[in-house]
Amino acid sequence: MNVSLTLVIVMAVLYAAGVYAMLERSLTRVLIGFLLLGNATNLLLIIVMGFPGAAPFAGEAEYPGDAGPRSDPLPQALMLTAIVITFAVSAFLLALIYRSWQLGQADTVEDDAEDLALRARSVEAEQAFAETAGDDATTDFIDTVASPLRAIDGAGALGLLPDAPVDIPSSEYRRRSTDTDEDEEDRS
């Protein structure tokens, strides 16, 4: 199977241009970027399909039992699915663009007050963290003494409340089980 280098280069350029266009604030450019990504995905599926020009089930074999070069039918089905998904999301983005233009006479996404407040809080949090953490600190557990784990029996070791239900046998259950054990020993 020989893959055309031109197809690979075109696919890579479409992916790069699509991602670049989707990072813009204009909804129209986001739509164009999404369409470029959809077409790049279709090219990727064409590339992995197999032998170019060969049918998926009946290749270049002279007889039905001969094994000739055949292409894989799964990427073709995936390509049809990708086309449908691209169409549906494109229709949704077109509706968003229309509604945005109808409401604000612009298709750009602007920062609102909540976005600006969130950005300010994140900057403050980063500054506070930078002030508290030392340059040589590689962990959150600074100046703590590590102790090995130890096994402790009882509900208190689990950190449970005294009246919390646990699977520890009660004293009455233990008494009854020891009584039945003693009775069995007496019988034997």
Side-chain angles (χ1 to χ4, degrees):
M1 176 178 101
N2 294 329
V3 176
S4 173
L5 183 63
T6 307
L7 282 179
V8 175
I9 291 172
V10 168
M11 178 197 65
V13 168
L14 283 175
Y15 269 123
V19 169
Y20 180 75
M22 286 186 78
L23 294 176
E24 297 290 327
R25 288 195 171 258
S26 171
L27 290 176
T28 305
R29 290 185 182 177
V30 170
L31 174 66
I32 291 170
F34 186 76
L35 290 172
L36 289 174
L37 285 178
N39 288 328
T41 303
N42 289 337
L43 273 179
L44 172 70
L45 291 170
I46 286 174
I47 290 170
V48 301
M49 182 172 57
F51 295 98
F57 296 111
E60 298 175 0
E62 292 181 23
Y63 301 105
D66 290 348
R70 295 186 176 126
S71 61
D72 190 10
L74 181 63
Q76 294 177 10
L78 291 175
M79 189 182 314
L80 288 174
T81 306
I83 290 169
V84 170
I85 291 172
T86 303
F87 176 74
V89 174
S90 299
F92 178 71
L93 283 173
L94 280 171
L96 281 179
I97 292 169
Y98 177 73
R99 187 65 176 161
S100 175
W101 182 260
Q102 203 175 31
L103 292 176
Q105 297 298 318
D107 70 339
T108 57
V109 178
E110 300 294 331
D111 285 336
D112 58 354
E114 291 178 11
D115 290 335
L116 297 173
L118 181 65
R119 189 176 303 145
R121 280 195 309 257
S122 66
V123 168
E124 291 171 2
E126 287 178 9
Q127 290 173 350
F129 181 73
E131 291 172 2
T132 58
D135 294 333
D136 58 347
T138 58
T139 180
D140 292 337
F141 304 105
I142 300 171
D143 297 333
T144 59
V145 178
S147 62
L149 296 175
R150 47 193 173 122
I152 302 174
D153 293 333
L158 301 175
L160 298 175
L161 297 173
D163 59 343
V166 293
D167 290 335
I168 298 173
S170 64
S171 59
E172 183 179 332
Y173 177 79
R174 288 185 199 150
R175 184 182 50 79
R176 279 190 280 149
S177 65
T178 55
D179 289 344
T180 55
D181 291 341
E182 290 173 0
D183 292 341
E184 289 178 6
E185 288 177 6
D186 290 341
R187 291 181 193 158
S188 56

